[in-house]
Amino acid sequence: MRINKYYLAALVAFVIWGFFSLALKPIHHYPSLDILFYRVFLSVILISSINLIFRRTILKSNWELFKSKPITERNKIIRVNIGGGLLLTANWFIFIYVMNHISVKAASFAYLVCPILTTVLAFLILKEKLSKWQWIAVGISVLGCVLLSFNSFSDIFYSLIVALTYALYLISQRTNTEIDKFVALNIQLLTIGVLLLPFYPKFSGPVPTESLFYTCLFFIVVLFTIIPLFLNLFALKGVNSSTVGIMLYINPILNFLLAVFYYKEEVTQIQMISYSLILISIIVFNEKLIFRRKLNTQSVSE
């Protein structure tokens, strides 16, 4: 039963992210770039404060580890974290734009495709192997994408860009094993914050004065960024990454349900078929893990 708390932590994290649109939609009239600026800047302040106040020992040990590495390895750590920060920021900006200016369905679809797209790119870039069932799942997913593109090419186009940026981020971070994950995230956000700061005066709009903006921003940074990241870090101590990967799909499913039942976005029959195919592909893609978990459940009950 001890592992249940780790499983619950991952579950809660993805459930929280599934309701992200509730904090974004009320400020959809603000430029996406402004929301990105303030999200990055406030995230940097909060995450840096957490590390400096509560995790100074970990910071010192990571710094000593970094200094002990050869120049080539130190350069690799720098490249991976700066590149990861760029991809993460691109993902955030495009996701905010799609959520506020395209549709909630397109944003949710991006994260339905993302895990499978990540695996295909890992096969091409990292030479990871795919089973026969996983290739079948990829084919089903592609069919769902094609059907959705018949209904709205712009939706599938933006969805794939969001998915691609996050997939590339995940792949780049698979080699980022030298330093603490939360410290790595802090470095990535700090790097992007420094890079974005010179563009803020020219490309940002007037400083928001509406209390609603800062209220939503607070929830975006704390509830939809810091807390889920902490929960994921905690969950990974006791739950393997494949189990957490399955729960990733909670996020887009909740997004899609919000789009249909809360935001009353129109859903066509083709879209329903497409999303159904994506869900089927998810089951097929993870058939080995699901089957193993089922066996484990049966053995425990016996």
Side-chain angles (χ1 to χ4, degrees), residues 15-23 25 99 104-105 108 224 250-267:
V15 168
I16 290 174
W17 270 324
F19 292 94
F20 191 21
S21 62
L22 295 178
K25 274 296 184 181
M99 180 74 74
V104 176
K105 294 193 299 293
S108 66
F224 296 107
I250 295 172
N251 176 7
I253 289 172
L254 288 175
N255 273 333
F256 182 73
L257 292 175
L258 282 174
V260 176
F261 297 106
Y262 184 76
Y263 295 111
K264 307 299 182 183
E265 292 186 4
E266 183 180 353
V267 180

Side-chain angles (χ1 to χ4, degrees), residues 87-133:
L87 288 168
L88 186 61
T89 303
N91 176 261
W92 282 8
F93 172 72
I94 299 169
F95 178 81
I96 290 170
Y97 177 82
V98 171
M99 180 74 74
N100 283 348
H101 303 289
I102 305 300
S103 72
V104 176
K105 294 193 299 293
S108 66
F109 182 76
Y111 288 103
L112 280 171
V113 176
C114 184
I116 293 178
L117 183 59
T118 301
T119 305
V120 173
L121 289 176
F123 170 79
L124 297 173
I125 298 173
L126 303 178
K127 308 303 181 183
E128 295 183 359
K129 302 297 183 181
L130 292 178
S131 69
K132 177 182 69 176
W133 285 106

Side-chain angles (χ1 to χ4, degrees), residues 146-184:
V146 171
L147 288 176
L148 189 62
S149 67
F150 290 154
N151 181 71
S152 176
F153 177 77
S154 62
D155 277 15
I156 187 65
F157 176 75
Y158 284 108
S159 295
L160 288 176
I161 292 178
V162 173
L164 181 62
T165 54
Y166 195 67
L168 290 173
Y169 171 76
L170 291 177
I171 290 174
S172 70
Q173 296 311 296
R174 289 189 181 182
T175 60
N176 193 9
T177 58
E178 300 295 333
I179 60 177
D180 177 80
K181 294 294 185 182
F182 202 70
V183 173

Side-chain angles (χ1 to χ4, degrees), residues 27-97:
I27 55 175
H28 72 276
H29 51 286
Y30 286 92
S32 300
L33 195 56
D34 277 0
I35 298 174
L36 176 65
F37 278 139
Y38 288 103
R39 183 186 185 185
V40 169
F41 295 153
L42 187 54
S43 292
V44 168
I45 293 171
L46 290 178
I47 292 177
S48 299
S49 299
I50 290 170
N51 276 320
L52 290 171
I53 296 173
F54 300 106
R55 310 179 83 240
R56 281 179 292 181
T57 302
I58 296 175
L59 279 177
K60 289 179 181 178
S61 64
N62 276 259
W63 175 244
E64 294 299 326
L65 177 64
F66 177 78
K67 290 193 299 183
S68 69
K69 297 288 184 182
I71 293 293
T72 54
E73 291 191 27
R74 277 186 277 177
N75 289 337
K76 178 184 175 183
I77 292 173
I78 293 172
R79 287 196 306 269
V80 167
N81 283 286
I82 291 178
L86 291 170
L87 288 168
L88 186 61
T89 303
N91 176 261
W92 282 8
F93 172 72
I94 299 169
F95 178 81
I96 290 170
Y97 177 82

